[in-house]
Amino acid sequence: MKIIHSLRVTTFIFLAAVFFVSPSFAAEIKVITSGAFAEALKDLVPEYEKQSSNKVIISYGSSMGSAPDSIPSRLSRDEKFDVLILAAPALERFIQSGAVQSGSRVDLVASVIGAAVRVGSPRPDISTVPALKQALLNAKSVAYSASASGTYLSTELFPKLGIAEQMSETAKKIYSERVGTVIARGDAELGFQQVSELIPIQGIDFIGEIPPEVQQTVLFSAGITSNVNSQVASRDLIAYLASPKAAPTIQKAGLKPLLPALPW
């Protein structure tokens, strides 16, 4: 009887370890991010996984637009994600539509627009508004993003500078790849995108941010989808991305960490 009792106790302890202590409670967190936060997230996820039993699966897509791999297109096809990270205005639209939970938005970083040319090419002056205008007019071809920064350039900045007509002939919107990649191939002379999307690209020279007077600072934010698999795990990941621990990696990626208070 003592042997049977001992076996029962041992079995109970084993089962308790399996169901209450072991990493069987680890969640798989599916995240989709737009390009501005992509490099930072790629570096942050391994660090997060070192301190957590959760596993993060990363997908990529632009914040807006109708390209097949854009975040709006992928959600319209009912692709399932737990966390979205994208430009704050685009995230707000998903909150309003009910695709993202109200009260789950966390502003992670601020991002600005920069310019680049191919390695070895002349570096135009873009340090002032007149210089930027001249650089745009002088370029035989200009590439800009199909996402937040490109929308701003084409609908606001070019008209403000009075060069919308000229840019309609020499500038092109880039879908489903980084502007820097297009510049590195030599398919465009001058390119504009979020700084954090330009600086990781090999084969280009980053020439600087556009002037403050015409700069657009965009917040990139995280939100939890309405069909989330694990609310607790998703909140845990976002809390890490918004923490001081993540700040140095975010800064290295060309972004400004915001270190916000969490809404939950």
Side-chain angles (χ1 to χ4, degrees):
M1 292 296 292
K2 287 183 179 180
I3 293 174
I4 293 173
H5 176 73
S6 178
L7 285 172
R8 286 176 177 170
V9 170
T10 302
T11 302
F12 175 79
I13 292 171
F14 171 76
L15 290 174
V18 169
F19 290 107
F20 298 104
V21 180
S22 80
S24 62
F25 279 87
E28 185 177 87
I29 311 167
K30 293 183 179 180
V31 181
I32 187 164
T33 181
S34 60
F37 199 69
E39 290 299 318
L41 185 64
K42 195 183 300 181
D43 290 337
L44 287 168
V45 161
E47 295 303 315
Y48 170 74
E49 290 180 339
K50 285 179 185 177
Q51 67 167 42
S52 170
S53 57
N54 297 327
K55 176 71 176 174
V56 181
I57 308 298
I58 308 175
S59 297
Y60 304 95
S62 59
S63 291
M64 54 190 71
S66 57
D69 60 348
S70 72
I71 294 175
S73 294
R74 296 181 73 164
L75 292 183
S76 72
R77 295 195 300 268
D78 293 326
E79 290 191 44
K80 305 299 182 186
F81 300 99
D82 301 299
V83 174
L84 308 185
I85 302 174
L86 67 164
L91 182 65
E92 275 301 313
R93 286 193 286 273
F94 287 126
I95 292 172
Q96 291 166 12
S97 73
V100 171
Q101 297 176 32
S102 177
S104 71
R105 171 179 163 178
V106 176
D107 296 332
L108 298 175
V109 299
S111 176
V112 296
I113 301 168
V117 295
R118 193 178 188 184
V119 166
S121 298
R123 296 164 58 95
D125 179 13
I126 63 164
S127 61
T128 66
V129 174
L132 172 64
K133 178 179 177 178
Q134 197 59 51
L136 284 162
L137 290 173
N138 290 344
K140 294 178 181 178
S141 55
V142 175
Y144 61 90
S145 163
S147 195
S149 62
T151 298
Y152 166 71
L153 290 172
S154 60
T155 64
E156 296 186 45
L157 180 58
F158 295 164
K160 183 176 183 178
L161 295 178
I163 58 173
E165 185 176 345
Q166 296 93 320
M167 290 298 98
S168 68
E169 297 178 4
T170 58
K172 60 180 178 180
K173 186 181 293 187
I174 304 303
Y175 294 92
S176 302
E177 67 176 331
R178 298 280 182 87
V179 169
T181 304
V182 174
I183 299 298
R185 284 201 306 266
D187 290 346
E189 190 175 298
L190 180 61
F192 295 84
Q193 199 163 20
Q194 305 292 338
V195 171
S196 60
E197 297 184 70
L198 289 173
I199 59 177
I201 305 297
Q202 299 295 315
I204 67 172
D205 276 339
F206 175 67
I207 58 177
E209 301 173 6
I210 66 174
E213 300 93 323
V214 293
Q215 181 62 264
Q216 184 200 49
T217 299
V218 177
L219 300 184
F220 282 80
S221 311
I224 300 173
T225 62
S226 298
N227 58 1
V228 63
N229 180 51
S230 173
Q231 182 91 341
V232 172
S234 296
R235 286 183 174 183
D236 186 61
L237 173 63
I238 293 173
Y240 176 78
L241 298 177
S243 73
K245 286 184 180 179
T249 300
I250 287 171
Q251 289 174 320
K252 185 179 177 182
L255 297 162
K256 179 183 176 182
L258 298 178
L259 304 179
L262 298 175
W264 47 78

